Amino acid sequence: MTRDERRLLDDLEQALASGALRLAYQPKVSTETGQLVRVEALVRWTHPVLGAVPPARFVPLAEEHGLIDDLTQWALRTALRQWREWHAAGLDTAVAVNISALSLQKLDFPDLVERLCRALDVPTDRLVLELTEGATQPLIKLMDTLTRFRIKGVGLAIDDFGTGYSGLIQLRKLPFTEIKIDRQFVTGLPTSRDDQVIVRSVIELAHGLGLQVTAEGVETVDQLTALRALGCDLVQGYLLAHPLDPAELVAWASRHKRRWKLLVRPPEDALLRQRLEANG
Ligand code: C2E
Ligand code: CA
Ligand code: CA
């Protein structure tokens, strides 16, 4: 580990202990109705000197140096508490939390999550865990743990589908409830024939296996139109909303209904379209 990494890790540990981390929440919206179906919790860290440090930088560091379980538990507790607050305020949604495959290796992890849900009074079916497969932690090895989660009613999404190691066998054998199509395939829609073919096939496959499909990284009206035509279930991305603070989410939800009507019947005028895309 370099000296910079060591320092960053120490600062992260301190940030975790002192409550300096927070979660931002990005809406996932039904392509059919525009309704907010759930939000994805994404960790945010504003370092006192370095400013905003992206999770892509510090999550792997936490994974490598034994801090990931603390981070995972903090994220779960924070997201579930937030769900309770929204629920009390009348915002009906579910919450998705990113879970490192390392945290799944603990056999008692499903029980711990169930206890957290119970303690914070959140029905387990309002929680989805988003899992990414890494080279060293093939999800297939976690069959028991994943099955335990499903028995408890917790949803399981396979993240970044189409990149890395997530393969067809995992899909057939593991008890997932949702597939998230990686942004790299969404970006090419609707112009790239290849991306169209890939996205259409993944949607068909997922539906054939009874899974819900979310497209990540939707940034343009044309991508949304293409995904709706292909029968994708949920969309997520800057076109709909950036990751938001909890209070911003409530404000977004009240604006969103009117905006959705414009998104699905977009203006012909190119300038108006651009403006619509810039106000995600
Ligand atoms: P991810 O789970 O694939 O999350 C999606 C990433 O894409 C997020 O980046 C989000 O801010 C970004 N994004 C969303 N919509 C758009 C869009 O329309 N265009 C573009 N260009 N980007 C978009 P973020 O927040 O930097 O997170 C990066 C990764 O860090 C996440 O990828 C996830 O793997 C990991 N991560 C974030 N929070 C947590 C956490 O609490 N625990 C764990 N274990 N990992 C986390
Ligand atoms: Ca995710
Ligand atoms: Ca993803």
Side-chain angles (χ1 to χ4, degrees), residues 177-194:
T177 52
E178 175 186 349
I179 290 185
K180 299 191 73 179
I181 302 180
D182 192 69
R183 175 158 59 91
Q184 76 177 84
F185 304 109
V186 173
T187 306
L189 287 178
T191 44
S192 154
R193 278 277 309 153
D194 290 355

Side-chain angles (χ1 to χ4, degrees), residues 1-13 45 47 50 61:
M1 185 169 25
T2 65
R3 258 189 31 213
D4 280 355
E5 282 175 344
R6 177 79 256 167
R7 198 171 306 152
L8 199 63
L9 190 67
D10 288 344
D11 292 349
L12 178 63
E13 193 164 6
W45 181 21
H47 187 281
L50 303 172
L61 206 60

Side-chain angles (χ1 to χ4, degrees), residues 245-265:
D245 284 335
E248 288 177 328
L249 184 83
V250 175
W252 172 89
S254 66
R255 273 200 321 269
H256 167 70
K257 275 194 196 115
R258 197 167 40 83
R259 198 167 166 272
W260 177 256
K261 288 194 187 132
L262 288 173
L263 289 174
V264 293
R265 243 177 296 121

Side-chain angles (χ1 to χ4, degrees), residues 8 11 17 20 26 35 49 52 66 71 80 93 98-99 101 116 124 149 155 176 191 202 210 222 237 264 271:
L8 199 63
D11 292 349
Q26 190 179 32
Q35 247 178 10
V49 179
L71 182 67
L80 292 172
T93 191
N98 290 284
I99 306 288
L116 266 181
T124 47
F149 273 120
F176 286 105
T191 44
V202 172
D222 287 344
V264 293
L271 243 157

Side-chain angles (χ1 to χ4, degrees), residues 36-188:
L36 174 67
V37 174
R38 53 184 160 268
V39 293
E40 176 179 0
L42 295 156
V43 63
R44 294 289 177 263
W45 181 21
T46 308
H47 187 281
V49 179
L50 303 172
V53 185
R57 184 148 171 230
F58 66 84
V59 171
L61 206 60
E63 285 178 333
E64 277 165 45
H65 300 286
L67 215 57
I68 193 64
D69 285 342
D70 289 350
L71 182 67
T72 298
Q73 287 184 33
W74 167 83
L76 276 166
R77 199 171 296 122
T78 306
L80 292 172
R81 235 181 239 143
Q82 187 57 57
W83 182 89
R84 181 101 300 285
E85 247 178 62
W86 281 324
H87 186 70
L91 185 71
D92 179 31
T93 191
V95 67
V97 179
N98 290 284
I99 306 288
S100 160
L102 279 179
S103 295
L104 288 169
Q105 283 172 352
K106 304 259 155 64
L107 266 183
D108 61 349
F109 187 55
D111 287 337
L112 184 138
V113 172
E114 188 180 39
R115 274 201 305 277
L116 266 181
C117 285
R118 202 173 299 147
L120 296 168
D121 197 18
V122 180
T124 47
D125 67 0
R126 304 276 76 199
L127 174 66
V128 175
L129 307 182
E130 294 196 2
L131 316 174
T132 312
E133 186 155 48
T136 51
Q137 304 102 28
L139 291 170
I140 197 88
K141 288 202 173 155
L142 301 169
M143 174 78 108
D144 281 357
T145 309
L146 299 182
T147 306
R148 262 173 234 190
F149 273 120
R150 282 307 298 138
I151 291 168
K152 293 178 193 303
V154 174
L156 298 173
I158 186 158
D159 211 344
D160 306 334
F161 189 75
T163 67
Y165 301 84
S166 45
L168 292 178
I169 296 184
Q170 323 276 7
L171 267 195
R172 189 165 59 84
K173 291 205 168 150
L174 293 172
F176 286 105
T177 52
E178 175 186 349
I179 290 185
K180 299 191 73 179
I181 302 180
D182 192 69
R183 175 158 59 91
Q184 76 177 84
F185 304 109
V186 173
T187 306

